[in-house]
Each structure stands twice: as structure tokens, then as C-alpha cells.
Amino acid sequence: GQNIDQPTEMTATEGAIVQINCTYQTSGFNGLFWYQQHAGEAPTFLSYNVLDGLEEKGRFSSFLSRSKGYSYLLLKELQMKDSASYLCAVKGPDAGNMLTFGGGTRLMVKP
Amino acid sequence: EAGVAQSPRYKIIEKRQSVAFWCNPISGHATLYWYQQILGQGPKLLIQFQNNGVVDDSQLPKDRFSAERLKGVDSTLKIQPAKLEDSAVYLCASSPRLAGSGSEQFFGPGTRLTVL
């Protein structure tokens, strides 16, 4: 089975940097995804890590350590529009491309 | 490129009634997923299709939920009869490559179901 933990809520200031952590305990691992979900909208893809290390994409970066079962999403130069839920999802070793999602971290960006 | 389409966007029913949701994935996407997302939680996979075959339905409550993807394109998810705890957003997603790859999933806008 898969167990994925993320903080429920975080608050940060516009222009600042915030790090959202995700830890997982899984029976197998084939990659980790981060999705952004604005209230009332569908999740949208942010990043995918399958090897250890940092993946940078503009203001967003994602880090993975497979030995520690740990990932984080780093958001720089925060904007008000970054207020959303951030979902960590782990892809298991099964035959399908199936994801197990964490509960999500609701980020509130304040002026 | 058109995204994943879902209808209806909202549905309100009384418990013990039946309801059906429809999903049209992105053209050419072989894999289709149905998720249930209860308010304040992450999405939970209900069923995954590869073309018109079921890959995994281990978390689908089969006594009341059913889903099909007869021609390998559109899909419907049905609940019969609905319970109060079925109130949630039902998300459909599709991915372009065959199961087992690291391809991302593209989500539709979801159907928000309220069971009274």
C-alpha cells in the first residue's frame, strides 16, 4: 500500500519562497508527481521526479530523495495566484500508470 | 488541443437515487481514469481503463458503482443507489501513453455531486 503525508495548510507572503514537503511510505515506487489545484478546478500538472535530485521549472522546483521517501516542492517569488492546493502523488510499481495522492497542502499567499 | 470534457458539472440528487457522469478524454489518449475527491482530500482512484479494458478497479465500490468505456473513447461512471457519503467531485483524467509509463495525467473539470 501507499501512505503519503503532506502538511494540511501553509501561509506565505507575496514575493517570498515556500517549501511544501511530502513524505511517502510505499510498497514500490515509480515516480512522484506534483499537481496544483485551484479551488473548484481540476488538478494541473507541475512536475515529475523519478530520479534523486532537483528538477527546476521556472519559479517552481521539485526535489526527490528516494532513500528517504521524501520530496518537496519549492515555489519562489510567490504571487497571489499561487494560492491553491498542492497535491503530491506517487506512482506505484503496478502495471498501470496509477497514482496515489496525498491529502494536499492548501497554500495561502498573503500580500 | 481540447481538454478532457466532463458533464454534467453539477448534480444534486437524493439518497437512493441513481446518477451517471460522462467523460470524453483528450483525443488519442489510451488511458482513462475516474477519481473521487471528497472535500479537503486528495483524489482517490476508482477505476482505470486502457482502451476499453479495465486495468484496475480495486477501489471501486462495485455494489453501487459501475463504469464502462465501450468503444475505448468516452466513458460513463454510474452510481446506483447513491448514499450521502458519495457527495464528492468526480474527476476524469486521461494520459497519452500506455500504462506503465511516466506520462502525466490530464484532468477534466470534474462533476460536483451532492447527495441529500
Side-chain angles (χ1 to χ4, degrees):
Chain A
Q2 318 275 40
N3 187 36
I4 299 167
D5 291 311
Q6 323 178 218
T8 305
E9 286 188 355
M10 298 183 70
T11 302
T13 304
E14 192 176 17
I17 298 173
V18 72
Q19 178 174 313
I20 302 174
N21 295 324
C22 172
T23 58
Y24 60 90
Q25 298 89 38
T26 62
S27 55
F29 178 84
N30 258 341
L32 186 144
F33 290 80
W34 283 96
Y35 279 82
Q36 181 191 60
Q37 187 176 29
H38 285 99
E41 298 183 12
T44 55
F45 170 80
L46 289 178
S47 68
Y48 171 62
N49 295 68
V50 65
L51 299 176
D52 290 352
L54 188 69
E55 294 279 344
E56 296 187 77
K57 192 185 291 185
R59 294 190 298 117
F60 292 12
S61 303
S62 57
F63 172 83
L64 175 67
S65 169
R66 290 172 296 171
S67 62
K68 296 182 179 177
Y70 168 68
S71 174
Y72 67 72
L73 180 70
L74 193 72
L75 291 77
K76 303 175 186 175
E77 303 169 16
L78 279 173
Q79 302 175 10
M80 299 298 291
K81 67 178 182 179
D82 296 330
S83 293
S85 286
Y86 291 85
L87 301 165
C88 173
V90 171
K91 179 175 176 295
D94 40 54
N97 184 21
M98 288 175 283
L99 299 180
T100 301
F101 282 85
T105 299
R106 197 173 85 174
L107 174 66
M108 287 174 281
V109 180
K110 296 187 174 180
Chain B
E1 179 182 77
V4 177
Q6 290 188 248
S7 67
R9 292 296 311 277
Y10 305 92
K11 189 73 177 179
I12 300 174
I13 61 173
E14 295 189 349
K15 60 183 180 184
R16 291 187 290 273
Q17 285 188 320
S18 301
V19 65
F21 313 127
W22 173 82
C23 172
N24 183 244
I26 293 173
S27 178
H29 280 198
T31 313
L32 184 147
Y33 314 80
W34 282 102
Y35 289 89
Q36 179 193 59
Q37 186 174 26
I38 293 171
L39 186 64
Q41 299 181 18
K44 183 184 87 170
L45 180 70
L46 293 175
I47 188 168
Q48 177 190 354
F49 291 95
Q50 181 96 324
N51 298 309
N52 62 349
V54 175
V55 175
D56 186 278
D57 62 357
S58 58
Q59 298 193 93
L60 187 74
K62 298 180 186 65
D63 57 333
R64 297 184 300 107
F65 286 63
S66 64
E68 60 184 14
R69 192 185 185 200
L70 292 175
K71 296 182 179 179
V73 181
D74 294 6
S75 177
T76 55
L77 176 69
K78 296 179 182 177
I79 308 175
Q80 181 179 3
K83 293 185 176 181
L84 296 176
E85 59 260 35
D86 299 331
S87 294
V89 175
Y90 290 85
L91 294 165
C92 179
S94 67
S95 61
R97 291 193 283 274
L98 292 177
S101 71
S103 57
E104 65 178 277
Q105 296 179 19
F106 297 82
F107 285 82
T111 296
R112 183 177 296 276
L113 174 67
T114 302
V115 182
L116 303 175

